[in-house]
Amino acid sequence: MTVIIGVDPHKQSHTAVAICGDEREVAKVTVRATRQQTTKLLAWAEPFEKRTWAIESAGGLGYLLAQQLVDAGEHVVDVPPTLASRVRVLGTGRSDKNDPNDALSVAVAALRSGSLRQVETADHTEIMRLLAKRNHDLGRMRARLICRLHNALADLAPGGIAKELYATDADQLLESYEPVTPIEHMRHQLAHQLVDDVRRLDALIKESHRRIRTAVRASKTSLTEVYGVGPVVACMVIGHTGDVGRFANRDHFAAYAGVAPIEHSSGGRIAHRLSRRGNRKLNNAIHIAALTQIRNPGTDGRIYFERKVAEGKTKREALRSLKRQVSNAIFRQLVLDAERGPGGH
């Protein structure tokens, strides 16, 4: 008997439900998230010779379990949480929110959908994703620190620093300031500490960029041939794209990246609107590349952008159109890298 085993993963436990082809529940189990989790699940699933594991969010909370099952030779697919949630909410009889029903909805979603991503053993692409995520997190932490430093300096000097803030600028202002009251002394000390925190983050970001450049060079990708795609953007694209072979064409890739417009029609009115779907990190990488092209006169992207504006499009519409062209160019290079085989990323 062929079964689909849906798994609802959690930090402390995993619930698995096996269903057959008619969506009927065959068995279920809950195991603790320990070093024996894979062994226990495989022993429970041993009676089902033909089985497919459907892990909810196999790239997130279910990552470790999915990789362990793949290493054990199991066939594993990744079920997006939104898809499983829709199946549960629209289902009859088992729409309550609990672990067994969640696992059942994951299994049903995998049974009904034939285009789910198959989980593969983590490779160089996973390294890129981890480096891109680390770099993104460092950037967000620095942005928060800079906001706090701006506020601290504004409490010491009228207007603070009215421009992009760097640690050297803050040092100059703090050195020229003479605190008088105890409160001013404390504000002055705390501002100095914030500057030290910014410097530490700047050093971490510099090291992050160095590691990313090394990883991108090792991948031998041709993505950097696209104007506006540097090592950081290339790392984001490779890390969040994964196997480009899972995309049927460039339109499929553009939809995944959220740069393809969505039809929004009613009655005889046909319209298209901005897509908020897809991988937002990948969308951000394409956005950075498009803005880089626009900011540099003479580039193909700038010429294309100006032509669209001259045709009557708004600057936002022209930017969206350019992002689609950049997406097509990136997809073309990813396909070329894949065709080169081991030499590509």
Side-chain angles (χ1 to χ4, degrees):
M1 179 175 59
T2 301
V3 299
I4 302 292
I5 303 175
V7 180
D8 181 34
H10 289 282
K11 183 178 179 180
Q12 296 183 342
S13 65
H14 308 304
T15 300
V17 173
I19 64 172
C20 55
D22 58 0
E23 302 183 6
R24 179 173 50 85
E25 181 180 313
V26 177
K28 65 180 177 181
V29 69
T30 298
V31 300
R32 291 185 56 81
T34 64
R35 295 181 179 180
Q36 303 298 320
Q37 60 185 20
T38 309
T39 303
K40 292 180 179 179
L41 284 173
L42 290 176
W44 167 78
E46 188 175 359
F48 313 119
E49 295 183 1
K50 296 180 180 180
R51 57 182 180 258
T52 295
W53 297 83
I55 311 292
E56 183 180 36
S57 189
L61 191 59
Y63 171 78
L64 179 59
L65 178 60
Q67 288 296 317
Q68 290 176 337
L69 289 172
V70 170
D71 291 340
E74 299 293 307
H75 180 256
V76 183
V77 295
D78 180 16
V79 178
T82 52
L83 180 60
S85 177
R86 289 172 184 170
V87 170
R88 178 180 58 81
V89 171
L90 298 176
T92 57
R94 296 198 174 185
S95 59
D96 295 337
K97 173 66 177 167
N98 55 54
D99 291 347
N101 283 353
D102 286 346
L104 177 63
S105 64
V106 171
V108 173
L111 181 64
R112 295 177 182 177
S113 179
S115 58
L116 295 176
R117 180 180 70 88
Q118 181 176 342
V119 179
E120 304 286 350
T121 302
D123 56 6
H124 192 73
T125 300
E126 180 63 18
I127 295 176
M128 293 287 202
R129 189 183 70 83
L130 293 174
L131 289 175
K133 184 178 186 302
R134 171 63 172 169
N135 191 70
H136 175 75
D137 291 343
L138 288 174
R140 293 186 63 183
M141 285 190 286
R142 187 183 187 279
R144 287 195 295 267
L145 266 180
I146 289 295
C147 290
R148 293 174 184 171
L149 183 56
H150 264 299
N151 185 66
L153 296 178
D155 289 338
L156 295 173
I161 297 179
K163 63 175 185 178
E164 186 174 358
L165 183 56
Y166 295 96
T168 52
D169 300 324
D171 277 335
Q172 292 176 3
L173 188 149
L174 292 174
E175 288 174 3
S176 63
Y177 180 80
E178 291 294 335
V180 179
T181 66
I183 294 178
E184 290 178 345
H185 275 284
M186 181 56 65
R187 292 187 184 278
H188 192 261
Q189 293 175 11
L190 294 177
H192 267 299
Q193 292 178 2
L194 285 174
V195 174
D196 293 338
D197 291 340
V198 170
R199 281 204 170 91
R200 281 193 291 270
L201 272 180
D202 285 341
L204 290 174
I205 291 173
K206 185 177 180 180
E207 173 62 16
S208 174
H209 288 177
R210 185 195 66 78
R211 296 169 70 180
I212 285 175
R213 288 194 297 270
T214 301
V216 170
R217 281 198 299 267
S219 70
K220 298 181 181 179
T221 180
S222 63
L223 274 177
T224 51
E225 296 176 9
V226 178
Y227 195 94
V229 178
V232 173
V233 173
C235 182
M236 294 170 65
V237 170
I238 295 174
H240 292 286
T241 299
D243 180 17
V244 72
R246 63 194 178 105
F247 301 105
N249 49 49
R250 65 183 188 180
D251 298 332
H252 188 191
F253 177 77
Y256 177 75
V259 297
I262 299 175
E263 184 175 342
H264 189 68
S265 306
S266 178
R269 179 178 175 275
I270 299 177
H272 292 81
R273 62 177 176 84
L274 177 67
S275 172
R276 294 294 184 186
R277 301 174 183 172
N279 189 308
R280 304 315 298 173
K281 298 294 191 303
L282 183 57
N283 185 285
N284 183 43
I286 295 173
H287 185 81
I288 294 172
L291 287 183
T292 302
Q293 294 187 14
I294 292 174
R295 291 171 180 172
N296 290 273
T299 62
D300 292 340
R302 175 65 175 268
I303 295 171
Y304 178 88
F305 176 81
E306 292 176 342
R307 186 172 74 248
K308 288 297 179 180
V309 172
E311 292 174 357
K313 289 185 178 294
T314 65
K315 289 186 176 181
R316 284 190 176 184
E317 291 172 340
L319 174 59
R320 293 169 192 166
S321 183
L322 175 59
K323 286 175 66 174
R324 178 58 185 271
Q325 300 303 314
V326 173
S327 171
N328 293 342
I330 286 176
F331 179 75
R332 181 173 62 251
Q333 298 305 129
L334 289 173
V335 171
L336 290 175
D337 289 345
E339 290 176 348
R340 288 206 308 267
H345 73 268

